[in-house]
Amino acid sequence: MVRYLSGLITNSQTSDITPGKALMNSTAPSSSSVRPRDGNPWKTTTKADHVSIGTNSLFVSVSGPPRHPTEPIIIIFPGSNAGCDSWQPVATEIQGFARVLLYDRSGLGQSETGTSRDTGAVAAAELTSLLRAIDVPGPYILVAHSYGGCVAREFLQLHQKDVVGMVFSETGTETKCQHAEEQYRTRVLGDSPLSVIRGESAFCGQRKGHEGAGDAGNIDDTGKSRDGPEQSTEHSRMLEAMEKLDEELKREQLQLSKKGKFRNVPNCGHNVHLVRPDVVVEEVRWVLEHMEPYHVRQSAQQVTAPRTQEHENSGILQRLRRRILLR
């Protein structure tokens, strides 16, 4: 596995888990202001449970090293109609150097069905309630796949100061986020790192197959394509145009940050986290290594952090980097 060990760069452009039955109170303080409480297992141990958010219960699991108050926790956002179990291989790798949270959205996986229509904004609000219930404040690094990118963008809108980095894997649904244009215009992530992963699209695979032997449905008994030369050329051009548009939509997301990275993964397809989980893990490492030293996001009106806070955060980043090196 390739490991990004080039050091911290700032201001750059470029266990088996069994769910339990305990329910938590959904009226806990805001996640942005809560300080850690001694003995909270959601911050220190491997734990999984169903947690009440008031309207219904969501399944959530956490794993990885005990968390310092200002160390980021990685939150996974699966795609449409997907439970978090498919992300276990990625989470298993990440938990060796960072704390990671998996959860099922309402009506998916092991979570109960909610009372509201399933939208990105509703899912983001439910995740906010979940994090309050288990008392897990920011900072957060968001890792999203497919439709999960829409939910992650809505969550980012609610927690701009707490999100310190993002990884998008095959997310092309940003237009479904009601704040998309505003987020692009303001570069909402600022200097926080963003990695965009693109798997080789289905269009690319179809085009190569068509150029090689024609569509499977248009092959005659002799193995020859029933398409004429003009049809074959036109089909290839259409697929090439769709492939180009697919890449443009994914690259567009780099506008969210001043510190973006685009990674194309050939011979992969849409489910990068299943076919190449190592790629997702590497990009999480990259985000961790390129966070700002003071990584709880500040508002424009807030003064620079005191030197004691700067020293504390520098030490945290050094610990994270040592964990990555050890992996």
Side-chain angles (χ1 to χ4, degrees):
M1 181 184 298
V2 178
R3 298 183 180 182
Y4 297 91
L5 303 174
S6 56
L8 301 174
I9 301 175
T10 59
N11 298 321
S12 171
Q13 294 291 328
T14 37
S15 71
D16 292 338
I17 303 172
T18 303
K21 298 179 180 179
L23 300 180
M24 308 292 288
N25 187 350
S26 64
T27 59
S30 168
S31 64
S32 62
S33 61
V34 172
R35 307 317 299 168
R37 293 197 305 264
D38 292 339
N40 181 358
W42 295 106
K43 298 174 184 174
T44 58
T45 66
T46 297
K47 181 175 175 61
D49 215 333
H50 289 93
V51 176
S52 174
I53 59 170
T55 56
N56 58 301
S57 293
L58 301 181
F59 173 76
V60 57
S61 71
V62 292
S63 58
R67 187 185 180 208
H68 185 280
T70 52
E71 281 185 353
I73 184 169
I74 286 76
I75 303 179
I76 306 294
F77 295 76
S80 179
N81 299 320
C84 65
D85 56 343
S86 65
W87 279 82
Q88 195 57 55
V90 173
T92 298
E93 288 296 317
I94 293 175
Q95 71 186 20
F97 56 86
R99 198 141 181 89
V100 58
L101 183 147
L102 295 170
Y103 86 106
D104 289 327
R105 295 193 297 273
S106 289
L108 299 176
Q110 301 182 53
S111 289
E112 296 177 350
T113 301
T115 58
S116 301
R117 187 169 65 91
D118 183 19
T119 66
V122 168
E126 291 182 344
L127 177 57
T128 297
S129 297
L130 175 64
L131 293 170
R132 288 175 178 170
I134 63 176
D135 185 16
V136 174
Y140 308 115
I141 290 175
L142 313 183
V143 179
H145 173 247
S146 192
Y147 172 75
C150 174
V151 181
R153 293 276 294 273
E154 296 286 357
F155 184 84
L156 170 63
Q157 190 69 20
L158 298 175
H159 303 273
Q160 295 182 28
K161 291 192 293 182
D162 292 328
V163 175
V164 297
M166 300 183 77
V167 177
F168 284 148
S169 178
E170 275 290 298
T171 55
T173 56
E174 69 281 350
T175 53
K176 294 182 180 179
C177 171
Q178 59 184 327
H179 307 286
E181 294 305 318
E182 175 190 351
Q183 290 180 350
Y184 287 148
R185 185 178 67 254
T186 61
R187 290 213 161 182
V188 62
L189 282 173
D191 291 318
S192 294
L194 165 66
S195 173
V196 176
I197 304 170
R198 176 181 180 264
E200 187 177 74
S201 71
F203 309 125
C204 181
Q206 290 178 36
R207 179 168 60 85
K208 290 179 179 179
H210 189 77
E211 291 172 348
D215 286 339
N218 283 333
I219 302 298
D220 63 22
D221 293 338
T222 67
K224 296 180 180 180
S225 173
R226 296 189 180 95
D227 287 341
E230 293 183 0
Q231 287 178 300
S232 181
T233 300
E234 183 63 26
H235 192 193
S236 293
R237 287 175 179 171
M238 179 186 70
L239 291 174
E240 185 176 2
M242 295 172 72
E243 180 186 358
K244 182 178 180 180
L245 177 61
D246 176 73
E247 181 168 346
E248 288 177 354
L249 286 173
K250 290 178 171 64
R251 285 187 178 275
E252 185 178 36
Q253 298 168 108
L254 293 172
Q255 298 177 54
L256 293 171
S257 173
K258 299 176 184 177
K259 190 187 297 182
K261 175 185 179 184
F262 187 85
R263 182 169 180 178
N264 189 65
V265 186
N267 304 315
C268 185
H270 185 59
N271 294 315
V272 180
H273 64 294
L274 296 177
V275 181
R276 292 291 308 277
D278 58 300
V279 169
V280 180
V281 174
E282 288 168 9
E283 296 312 303
V284 171
R285 294 177 188 271
W286 179 84
V287 169
L288 282 168
E289 292 174 1
H290 290 76
M291 292 187 309
E292 295 295 312
Y294 183 59
H295 51 260
V296 176
R297 289 168 59 80
Q298 305 288 290
S299 66
Q301 294 78 24
Q302 197 165 3
V303 297
T304 303
R307 291 187 61 82
T308 54
Q309 182 68 62
E310 291 177 356
H311 293 161
E312 179 184 9
N313 282 288
S314 178
I316 291 168
L317 288 178
Q318 289 175 15
R319 286 199 299 274
L320 285 169
R321 191 166 181 238
R322 282 198 296 271
R323 290 177 193 161
I324 294 174
L325 285 165
L326 289 173
R327 293 292 291 177

